[in-house]
Amino acid sequence: MRKYCEVCGKEVETKVISKEETYVVCGESIEVNAQVLVCAECGEEFYCEELDNATLLHAYNEYRRKHKLLLPEEIRKIREQYNLSQRGFARLLNWGDKTICRYENGAIQDKAHNSLLLFLREPENMRIFLTENEVSLDEKQKKKLLDTVDRLEQDSEFRVGIRLFDHFFSRIPCEENGFKGFDYEKLCAMVLFFANKCTEILKTKLMKLLNYADMVFYKENGISISGLKYVHLPYGPVPDNFDMLIGKMTADHIVHIEVTFDNGYEKHQVIPECEVTSRALSEAEIEVLERVYEKFKDFGSVQISDYSHQEKGYCSTQQGEIISYSYAADIQLS
Ligand SMILES: [Zn+2]
């Protein structure tokens, strides 16, 4: 992109550099690694709305991580688990009508509010909350909510699933998962996105596409999409415990693997069983998935493996090691 530089007094080439910047979030200074557009000749900074927004989002996520605050979509999930509207949930909690709406749209939540939401994530705690507090619901609404709690509690798969996933996939944001707790629904949506878009997709290629999508999204937003950890294996960076996840997705009728033989080689083809549900992915996430798809659509499994072997994150790690999202800064799609 060419721009007019006031310092040089002419139109110049620009480039994006990384630099430490300090943002004030809720009265606290947060250091972030910002991407800044500068004049390639004299280094003068230019304002760039997209980069600036990405840095701000990064700062907000860094603040949330520091204070162990739920992410906006984690709050939405808690609410949706109980089939409540934003306003209905806010009223139940005796908060202002717009409070939940603001939190789900990215406003930083009050710490006491965060604790209550974390507590209510568990259905048994919602039952305690409903029975021990005077809540502003009429009898009919209260019964409906208690029925939902019953269903969630009885749904043993829901409970076992949570325990299993907590064991193998960290729900605590850290550098290894791109500062996002593992999100099975996002993963399913990403897998379905690629599996439906490609006429034929092999498991090995899918794993690379997931890796690029998460890394590129992290590079631009300071958070991954799926919360997966990626590990260095001989054939490239792959999601940690991916076979277990494929097993779960098969049981849930999301996708299944079809094994075929081609010239004596086993091919593991990923077959989608449904479409991506709307709202499963944000616009920004879809935009990154599209870019990754476009970049690699004509690459075979071997080609994309070779390509991913050259990434700094792969070159700098040993076999079996987790590849930190901090290497995402070096990933280039173009
Ligand atoms: Zn200049």
Side-chain angles (χ1 to χ4, degrees):
M1 192 197 321
R2 289 180 72 83
K3 265 188 180 277
Y4 183 81
C5 175
E6 301 268 348
V7 178
C8 297
K10 58 176 183 180
E11 204 172 83
V12 292
E13 287 294 337
T14 56
K15 61 177 180 179
V16 175
I17 59 157
S18 296
K19 78 180 251 237
E20 287 288 315
E21 275 189 1
T22 306
Y23 272 70
V24 176
V25 182
C26 298
E28 188 177 321
S29 295
I30 299 289
E31 297 259 332
V32 282
N33 194 4
Q35 307 279 99
V36 187
L37 190 70
V38 296
C39 166
E41 293 185 29
C42 73
E44 176 74 0
E45 278 183 31
F46 297 116
Y47 174 72
C48 170
E49 193 177 357
E50 282 169 10
L51 291 176
D52 206 48
N53 285 344
T55 305
L56 196 63
L57 204 63
H58 206 133
Y60 268 57
N61 284 334
E62 185 61 26
Y63 180 89
R64 287 196 177 92
R65 192 176 63 80
K66 220 170 142 188
H67 295 279
K68 298 192 165 58
L69 296 176
L70 289 159
L71 297 170
E73 50 182 58
E74 288 176 314
I75 296 178
R76 172 170 66 82
K77 265 194 202 160
I78 295 171
R79 173 177 66 76
E80 288 181 343
Q81 161 177 295
Y82 297 115
N83 294 320
L84 292 163
S85 65
Q86 291 179 333
R87 181 185 267 241
F89 197 19
R91 289 208 171 148
L92 172 69
L93 305 176
N94 261 322
W95 299 350
D97 270 359
K98 294 257 163 61
T99 311
I100 292 286
C101 176
R102 284 195 297 111
Y103 291 165
E104 288 185 18
N105 283 318
I108 300 269
Q109 64 269 34
D110 176 276
K111 278 180 195 147
H113 284 183
N114 191 72
S115 305
L116 182 56
L117 290 168
L118 257 178
F119 175 77
L120 292 176
R121 178 145 80 175
E122 296 303 324
E124 50 264 55
N125 293 339
M126 178 58 101
R127 180 186 303 287
I128 296 169
F129 181 81
L130 286 175
T131 46
E132 294 187 357
N133 288 281
E134 196 177 324
V135 293
S136 53
L137 295 179
D138 61 39
E139 280 309 306
K140 204 176 142 197
Q141 290 169 316
K142 194 169 166 182
K143 178 167 186 318
K144 199 176 141 214
L145 186 50
L146 278 169
D147 285 346
T148 306
V149 171
D150 267 346
R151 186 174 50 71
L152 289 171
E153 281 188 326
Q154 282 163 15
D155 192 345
S156 62
E157 235 171 89
F158 172 84
R159 300 163 61 74
V160 171
I162 283 182
R163 269 191 231 123
L164 181 77
F165 275 27
D166 278 352
H167 185 72
F168 285 98
F169 305 97
S170 176
R171 292 248 230 160
I172 299 160
C174 63
E175 195 163 273
E176 293 192 340
N177 56 23
F179 294 119
K180 171 152 184 179
F182 175 63
D183 187 330
Y184 176 67
E185 282 172 40
K186 286 279 185 207
L187 171 69
C188 291
M190 291 167 84
V191 168
L192 284 173
F193 177 91
F194 289 126
N196 281 304
K197 218 162 163 83
C198 305
T199 38
E200 181 194 90
I201 185 164
L202 300 183
K203 194 176 102 185
T204 38
K205 179 168 176 177
L206 172 67
M207 295 193 291
K208 306 299 177 306
L209 295 179
L210 292 173
N211 178 246
Y212 274 105
D214 267 333
M215 289 285 172
V216 170
F217 196 83
Y218 176 82
K219 179 182 177 181
E220 294 169 5
N221 300 282
I223 188 168
S224 67
I225 304 177
S226 69
L228 277 174
K229 293 180 184 179
Y230 291 89
V231 61
H232 178 126
L233 285 188
Y235 39 101
V238 304
D240 203 15
N241 293 309
F242 196 59
D243 283 328
M244 181 189 291
L245 293 168
I246 287 280
K248 165 107 177 112
M249 282 187 265
T250 306
D252 293 341
H253 298 288
I254 307 290
V255 292
H256 67 269
I257 301 288
E258 224 166 77
V259 182
T260 52
F261 290 90
D262 188 15
N263 281 326
Y265 285 100
E266 255 188 37
K267 281 182 21 175
H268 292 234
Q269 204 177 323
V270 183
I271 314 288
E273 295 191 27
C274 52
E275 296 283 326
V276 187
T277 49
S278 59
R279 294 195 60 204
L281 295 164
S282 70
E283 271 173 42
E285 289 165 345
I286 291 170
E287 193 269 320
V288 168
L289 294 176
E290 294 276 4
R291 251 191 286 150
V292 169
Y293 168 78
E294 280 301 319
K295 166 75 188 176
F296 296 110
K297 65 179 173 188
D298 299 323
F299 281 53
S301 282
V302 176
Q303 245 182 317
I304 193 170
S305 277
D306 288 348
Y307 191 90
S308 65
H309 277 88
Q310 287 155 22
E311 297 295 353
K312 191 171 172 202
Y314 191 78
C315 299
S316 314
T317 46
Q318 302 288 319
Q319 189 166 331
E321 265 179 17
I322 300 286
I323 301 169
S324 160
Y325 278 82
S326 60
Y327 292 113
D330 294 295
I331 286 189
Q332 299 289 350
L333 271 192
S334 46

